[in-house]
Amino acid sequence: QVQLVESGGGLVQPGGSLRLSCVTSGFNFSWFGMKWYRQGPGKEREFVAAVTSDGGVKKYSDAVKGRFTISKDNYKRTLSLQMNSLKSDDTAVYYCMAFRADGSREYWGQGTQVTVSS
């Protein structure tokens, strides 16, 4: 059974940091690229960051570039997102997603809530 379980969300003040984790099972993690998406209140789901299957290439949306860092640990089967200098606009449910580069497979987690507020 495929599982992607996010954790690490919570309430943080503007300028603070959080580290999200996505622990996976049930599929060959090292064969999959990984992404983080988020969906803020009243907004559509948007891309945040991506990493290739070997962890070597990373991409970020303009909104988070320079503040967030995505990392992939194939040994621990875990995806992480280090979020620094958080802003109120970062408030959203954050989802991890696994994908095959050929488009043949795609798996989603259930999401973790991040709220940035004073």
Side-chain angles (χ1 to χ4, degrees), residues 1 17 21 43 47 53 61 64 68-69 72 75 78 88 94 98 115:
Q1 181 182 1
S17 297
S21 295
K43 299 179 181 180
F47 167 78
S53 57
S61 69
V64 307
F68 290 12
T69 302
K72 186 177 190 275
Y75 181 73
T78 299
S88 58
Y94 284 72
T115 302

Side-chain angles (χ1 to χ4, degrees), residues 12-18 83-86:
V12 62
Q13 293 186 343
S17 297
L18 280 176
M83 306 187 297
N84 298 330
S85 303
L86 283 161

Side-chain angles (χ1 to χ4, degrees), residues 2-4 22-34 51-57 71-79 97-102 105 107:
V2 172
Q3 287 191 315
L4 292 82
C22 173
V23 178
T24 71
S25 62
F27 64 101
N28 195 328
F29 185 72
S30 63
W31 292 0
F32 282 70
M34 299 293 294
V51 60
T52 51
S53 57
D54 64 357
V57 179
S71 59
K72 186 177 190 275
D73 187 328
N74 284 338
Y75 181 73
K76 295 182 179 179
R77 304 177 53 88
T78 299
L79 177 73
M97 187 265 264
F99 67 97
R100 288 297 303 271
D102 62 5
R105 293 284 190 276
Y107 305 123

Side-chain angles (χ1 to χ4, degrees), residues 7-9 18-22 36 79-81 83 94 112 114:
S7 63
L18 280 176
R19 185 176 181 87
L20 305 184
S21 295
C22 173
W36 287 99
L79 177 73
S80 299
L81 186 68
M83 306 187 297
Y94 284 72
T112 185
V114 172

